[in-house]
């Protein structure tokens, strides 16, 4: 019997038990029957987790876990292959045959029996053990608000370097506090030049990320993945469905037309959008003074943007935050530990932020240092730190790079970054050359779809991860809306069936006027009165269903936002324009960086099957035997 001490707390195994478990496991064939819990625990913790279950940071050979170099070989950058999903195998571990032979072990004999059976038993045991340890399986993680969701398959083992943005990525701000103060400074600056702002207050529920400002019409719109506008607001007043149809029925949102459309990429956009929509109301009601010039909606947007830009450039906002970071920053104790795991797994960690040195240092000290072990500071986590990066230009072109050489921020020019260095400016190309790591061996993590994610993807082919903190709230809202959505689906399905019958009867009536038979004998044999009465009854039922369905559709997503509904959806069935951007540019996305802690630095993120419009027919066919399917096909023909 193999024992452990405080297994649930990840304490160190008794050394003799570990050695015995390892030897017995490797010498014995895998059993095609359930193993005892004690053997299961010892075997799987050793085999699947590499014995890295101790909390001690000691690096001595007696407490540092399995010596990977003696037992395993590591697939190198030069000798990698490509697996069946097209991912590089770089960073994968391989069992050394000579190590097994030294123990007299036949590597093939340890896996007797059909591999399907072996894998099934191993998977069941692994799932049980993960549950006992309180660790979610990859499948259950996808059902969690703290999950990491995969759009494009990503083998984290093949990633050599991970770069991070800071604001709203490593640093999560209290949105009401941070954006509220940004709004206040913006309004103060507008008031100084004569805009009427009295009586206005910050309303964070007025907008959500992923909306688009129509600068020509003074509207805020929510579009689906194709660019069709589904909801719209003029000023602070929501427009009716009919008004939206009349205004945008022939138009698509095209983000390439920057002179008209402004996409709210990040939470930093909240204060600007709230201020602009409120000022649209003031422009419409004629309270903006004539001496400010003849303003249209585009000109008004520029004025609001200048006022907010002044607040950032003049340093008013950041000075206040630096003096009282506890009022604006929401610390995440798990986040530094997630990065520490990645660093200890051999990943090069990079911090690439547009914020300046003094602000970055102050914020990172506040959020990281107290949660790191052994007197580590935040700088110890990162191989290279780049401030004032000037993204997105950082990913697009070359700028001079300067090394920050003093605590006061004094700099000197340099041409190559070194490990442990702190730099200002530069370019992504310089980072790649300095690390001798390129393209898809680098993962960049940020909160801004354009500045962080799409540009690093498009110009450099870096792998990408998007941080969207609102996912947690949306996930909870979706869970609580399950009953509402299920009832709505049932009603819509009922209307579809009833509507199909109505359409068949309508077609029968149409053919009857031309003296032609209906599609079926039963419909042909209906007399005129039966046909008319059946159509009237079905039409009334559908009209009453519409009266029930319409307000339910309008209310769908209210638990997330009463005006705009869910972040990821536009209408009941379709994805939002934001969700399309995420899927297009972000390989993985999640609510916060610390969610990596619930996985491992060796995770293989596999994208899910993408359903197509005709998949439902394939599913239908799979549920019936061949004769039933043939009958259905004959009927359709």
């Amino acid at each position: 019997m193999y024992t452990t001490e405080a297994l649930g707390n990840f304490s160190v195994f008794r050394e003799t038990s570990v050695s015995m478990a390892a030897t017995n496991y490797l010498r014995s064939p895998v059993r095609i029957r359930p193993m005892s819990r004690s053997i299961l625990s010892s075997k799987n913790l050793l085999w699947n987790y590499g014995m890295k279950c101790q909390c001690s940071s000691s690096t001595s050979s007696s407490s540092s876990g399995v010596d990977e170099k003696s037992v395993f070989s590591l697939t190198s950058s030069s000798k990698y292959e490509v697996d069946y999903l097209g991912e590089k195998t770089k960073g994968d571990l391989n069992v050394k045959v000579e190590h097994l032979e030294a123990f007299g072990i036949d590597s093939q004999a340890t896996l007797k029996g059909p591999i399907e059976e072996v894998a099934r038993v191993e998977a069941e045991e692994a799932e049980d053990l993960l549950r006992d340890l309180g660790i979610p399986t990859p499948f259950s993680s996808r059902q969690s608000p703290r999950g990491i969701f995969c759009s494009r398959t990503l083998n984290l083992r093949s990633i050599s370097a991970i770069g991070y943005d800071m604001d709203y990525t490593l640093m999560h701000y209290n949105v009401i506090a941070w954006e509220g103060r940004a709004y206040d400074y913006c309004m103060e600056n507008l008031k100084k030049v004569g805009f009427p702002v009295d009586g206005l207050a910050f309303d964070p529920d007025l907008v959500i990320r992923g909306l688009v400002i129509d600068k020509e019409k003074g509207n805020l719109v929510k579009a689906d993945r194709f660019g069709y506008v589904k909801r719209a607001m003029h000023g602070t007043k929501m427009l009716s469905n009919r008004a939206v149809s009349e205004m945008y029925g022939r138009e698509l949102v095209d983000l390439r037309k920057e002179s008209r459309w402004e996409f709210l990429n990040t939470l930093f956009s909240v204060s600007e959008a709230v201020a602009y929509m409120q000022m649209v109301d003031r422009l419409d009601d004629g309270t903006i003074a004539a001496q400010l010039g003849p303003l249209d909606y585009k000109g008004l947007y520029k004025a609001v943007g200048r006022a907010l830009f002044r607040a950032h450039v003049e340093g008013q906002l950041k000075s206040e935050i630096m003096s009282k970071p506890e009022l604006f920053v929401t610390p995440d104790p798990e986040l530094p530990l997630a990065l520490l795991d990645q660093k200890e797994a051999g990943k090069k960690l990079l911090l690439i932020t547009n914020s300046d040195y003094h602000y970055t240092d102050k914020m990172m000290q506040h959020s990281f240092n107290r949660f790191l072990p052994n007197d580590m500071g935040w700088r110890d986590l990162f191989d290279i730190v780049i401030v004032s990066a000037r993204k997105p230009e950082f990913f697009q072109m070359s700028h001079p790079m300067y090394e920050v050489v003093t605590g006061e921020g004094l700099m000197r020019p340099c041409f190559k970054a070194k490990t442990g260095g702190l730099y200002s400016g530069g370019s992504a190309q310089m980072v790649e050359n300095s690390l001798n790591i390129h393209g898809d061996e680098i993962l960049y993590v940020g909160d801004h779809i354009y500045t962080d994610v799409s540009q690093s993807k498009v110009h450099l082919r870096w792998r990408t991860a998007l941080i969207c903190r609102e996912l947690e709230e949306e996930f909870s809202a979706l869970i609580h809306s399950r009953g509402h959505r299920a009832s709505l689906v049932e009603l819509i399905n009922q209307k579809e069936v009833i509507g199909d019958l109505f359409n068949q009867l309508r077609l029968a009536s149409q053919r009857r006027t031309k003296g032609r038979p209906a599609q079926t004998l039963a419909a042909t044999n209906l007399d005129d009165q039966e046909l008319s009465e059946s159509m009237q009854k079905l039409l009334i039922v559908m009209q009453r269903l519409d009266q029930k369905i319409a307000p339910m559709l309008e209310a769908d997503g209210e638990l997330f936002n009463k005006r705009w509904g869910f972040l990821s959806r536009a209408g009941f069935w379709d994805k939002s324009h934001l969700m399309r951007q995420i899927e297009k540019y972000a390989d993985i996305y999640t609510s916060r960086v610390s969610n990596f802690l619930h996985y491992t630095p060796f995770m293989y993120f596999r994208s899910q099957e993408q359903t197509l419009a005709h998949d439902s027919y394939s599913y239908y066919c799979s549920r019936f035997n061949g004769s039933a399917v043939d009958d259905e096909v004959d009927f359709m023909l």
Side-chain angles (χ1 to χ4, degrees):
M1 188 68 67
Y2 312 125
T3 61
T4 62
E5 294 177 356
L7 177 63
N9 293 323
F10 293 117
S11 295
V12 183
F13 281 95
R14 291 179 181 170
E15 198 169 352
T16 55
S17 301
V18 169
S19 302
M20 194 182 305
T23 304
N24 287 342
Y25 176 59
L26 290 172
R27 289 185 184 277
S28 303
V30 174
R31 295 189 254 183
I32 311 301
R33 62 177 185 273
M35 304 177 72
S36 69
R37 181 54 52 90
S38 57
I39 296 177
L40 171 68
S41 301
S42 297
K43 182 200 74 169
N44 277 314
L45 278 176
L46 172 66
W47 192 249
N48 292 334
Y49 293 98
M51 278 300 295
K52 193 177 181 182
C53 292
Q54 59 268 38
C55 295
S56 169
S57 59
S58 170
T59 57
S60 66
S61 59
S62 63
S63 62
S64 60
V66 167
D67 183 359
E68 288 187 351
K69 292 184 179 180
S70 66
V71 179
F72 304 104
S73 63
L74 191 70
T75 303
S76 66
S77 297
S78 59
K79 295 183 179 180
Y80 73 86
E81 295 181 359
V82 177
D83 67 16
Y84 54 85
L85 292 178
E87 291 298 302
K88 292 180 179 179
T89 59
K90 174 189 170 296
D92 285 1
L93 289 182
N94 309 287
V95 177
K96 288 185 176 180
V97 176
E98 59 270 24
H99 178 82
L100 297 177
E101 292 174 346
F103 283 93
I105 299 167
D106 180 355
S107 60
Q108 295 303 316
T110 63
L111 294 173
K112 286 183 177 178
I115 188 59
E116 296 88 348
E117 281 296 306
V118 173
R120 181 183 61 79
V121 172
E122 290 295 298
E124 289 175 355
E125 293 178 349
E127 190 170 0
D128 288 342
L129 184 56
L130 287 169
R131 188 183 303 110
D132 290 346
L133 296 175
I135 299 171
T137 65
F139 305 105
S140 60
S141 295
R142 296 180 193 129
Q143 309 302 320
S144 165
R146 297 287 301 274
I148 296 178
F149 308 103
C150 182
S151 301
R152 180 187 172 210
T153 297
L154 171 65
N155 181 4
L156 206 55
R157 297 188 291 274
S158 70
I159 297 297
S160 300
I162 304 178
Y164 287 99
D165 177 42
M166 185 179 75
D167 297 310
Y168 280 124
T169 300
L170 292 179
M171 196 78 47
H172 183 70
Y173 298 105
N174 180 317
V175 177
I176 295 177
W178 209 107
E179 294 303 313
R181 289 304 290 146
Y183 170 91
D184 292 340
Y185 282 118
C186 175
M187 288 309 200
E188 287 176 14
N189 290 333
L190 285 173
K191 186 175 183 178
K192 288 177 183 177
V193 295
F195 281 90
V197 301
D198 292 339
L200 298 178
F202 180 59
D203 180 3
D205 294 324
L206 192 65
V207 303
I208 59 174
R209 189 206 302 243
L211 301 179
V212 185
I213 294 176
D214 181 351
K215 293 180 280 190
E216 283 187 3
K217 299 181 183 296
N219 292 344
L220 192 60
V221 305
K222 185 176 188 179
D224 66 13
R225 57 183 165 142
F226 304 109
Y228 291 98
V229 175
K230 294 297 184 180
R231 297 189 186 188
M233 181 170 70
H234 181 75
T236 60
K237 301 175 183 66
M238 296 300 295
L239 299 177
S240 67
N241 290 336
R242 179 171 180 173
V244 171
S245 178
E246 291 175 350
M247 195 174 296
Y248 294 107
R250 295 177 180 269
E251 285 191 285
L252 295 178
V253 172
D254 186 352
L255 298 179
R256 293 172 297 181
K257 297 179 179 178
E258 298 180 4
S259 62
R260 177 174 182 182
W261 306 103
E262 186 70 25
F263 191 42
L264 306 187
N265 273 299
T266 174
L267 290 172
F268 278 130
S269 305
V270 171
S271 52
E272 180 181 35
V274 171
Y276 176 62
M277 301 317 292
Q278 290 176 339
M279 295 312 298
V280 166
D281 286 343
R282 295 291 165 97
L283 181 62
D284 288 343
D285 64 22
T287 56
I288 294 180
Q291 59 264 31
L292 290 174
L295 282 175
D296 57 9
Y297 295 123
K298 273 190 178 180
L300 182 63
Y301 178 80
K302 289 180 181 179
V304 172
R306 283 194 299 267
L308 188 60
F309 183 71
R310 276 188 57 195
H312 289 287
V313 169
E314 293 174 1
Q316 301 165 303
L317 181 58
K318 288 195 172 181
S319 294
E320 183 176 347
I321 293 171
M322 288 173 67
S323 65
K324 297 178 180 178
E326 65 279 0
L327 299 181
F328 297 94
V329 178
T330 305
D332 187 345
E334 295 179 333
L335 196 155
L337 303 180
L339 268 60
L340 193 59
D341 275 348
Q342 294 172 356
K343 185 175 182 66
E344 291 174 347
K347 313 294 185 188
K348 301 288 186 183
L349 296 188
L350 319 171
L351 175 60
I352 304 172
T353 175
N354 283 353
S355 292
D356 61 63
Y357 163 68
H358 293 290
Y359 184 79
T360 299
D361 184 52
K362 179 70 175 181
M363 293 295 101
M364 292 295 288
Q365 282 190 44
H366 173 77
S367 297
F368 274 68
N369 287 7
R370 54 184 151 162
F371 303 120
L372 288 168
N374 303 328
D375 297 322
M376 284 183 67
W378 72 269
R379 287 281 305 278
D380 298 319
L381 281 174
F382 296 95
D383 293 85
I384 295 176
V385 175
I386 298 178
V387 298
S388 303
R390 297 175 65 180
K391 296 178 293 182
E393 293 181 6
F394 180 84
F395 298 115
Q396 301 167 346
M397 59 187 72
S398 291
H399 286 296
M401 183 165 66
Y402 300 89
E403 182 180 10
V404 181
V405 292
T406 69
E408 290 73 33
L410 293 178
M411 299 182 291
R412 63 186 175 198
C414 67
F415 302 97
K416 188 174 183 179
K418 297 178 182 179
T419 299
L422 171 62
Y423 304 93
S424 176
S427 68
Q429 191 68 53
M430 289 180 177
V431 171
E432 289 187 336
N433 294 338
S434 299
L435 295 174
N436 195 27
I437 301 172
H438 304 277
D440 61 2
E441 290 188 25
I442 303 176
L443 172 69
Y444 190 67
V445 186
D447 72 295
H448 196 291
I449 293 176
Y450 178 73
T451 299
D452 296 322
V453 175
S454 75
Q455 294 306 291
S456 59
K457 169 75 69 182
V458 169
H459 294 281
L460 300 158
R461 292 296 185 265
W462 287 7
R463 306 306 299 269
T464 51
L466 182 80
I467 301 301
C468 182
R469 192 60 170 264
E470 307 97 299
L471 279 174
E472 293 178 23
E473 184 181 347
E474 167 145 316
F475 194 97
S476 298
L478 281 167
I479 294 297
H480 287 94
S481 300
R482 283 182 299 184
H484 173 87
R485 293 175 67 83
S487 299
L488 190 48
V489 168
E490 184 178 2
L491 291 174
I492 291 172
N493 288 341
Q494 288 170 356
K495 183 186 175 184
E496 183 176 7
V497 174
I498 295 169
D500 191 51
L501 176 58
F502 176 82
N503 292 335
Q504 291 292 341
L505 296 180
R506 184 178 180 183
L507 180 60
S509 177
Q510 174 185 302
R511 288 188 176 188
R512 184 168 296 185
T513 62
K514 302 298 182 181
R516 295 194 294 120
Q519 294 196 77
T520 65
L521 183 61
T524 302
N525 291 335
L526 286 174
D527 62 38
D528 290 347
Q529 184 175 350
E530 287 177 316
L531 186 60
S532 176
E533 288 178 353
S534 296
M535 290 178 63
Q536 291 177 56
K537 176 183 176 182
L538 293 175
L539 191 58
I540 291 171
V541 171
M542 287 192 294
Q543 290 172 345
R544 292 190 62 186
L545 276 173
D546 284 343
Q547 294 170 2
K548 180 76 173 180
I549 290 171
M552 290 182 69
L553 279 175
E554 191 70 25
D556 183 54
E558 280 189 349
L559 289 177
F560 182 77
N561 186 279
K562 291 184 178 181
R563 292 180 178 89
W564 302 106
F566 293 113
L567 195 77
S568 58
R569 289 161 172 77
F572 186 69
W573 303 109
D574 215 344
K575 299 172 184 175
S576 66
H577 209 55
L578 171 70
M579 197 66 233
R580 174 68 185 114
Q581 298 294 311
I582 293 174
E583 288 183 331
K584 185 176 181 179
Y585 295 115
D587 297 317
I588 56 177
Y589 62 97
T590 190
S591 63
R592 56 178 93 188
V593 172
S594 61
N595 293 344
F596 280 104
L597 192 64
H598 304 299
Y599 297 78
T600 72
F602 320 109
M603 182 68 186
Y604 194 110
F605 292 103
R606 179 171 54 85
S607 63
Q608 301 303 291
E609 177 187 7
Q610 302 298 301
T611 58
L612 304 174
H614 64 276
D615 285 341
S616 56
Y617 175 73
S618 301
Y619 172 75
Y620 171 80
C621 289
S622 69
R623 295 193 59 191
F624 295 89
N625 58 38
S627 61
V629 173
D630 290 341
D631 291 343
E632 179 68 17
V633 171
D634 289 341
F635 170 76
M636 292 169 64
L637 295 176

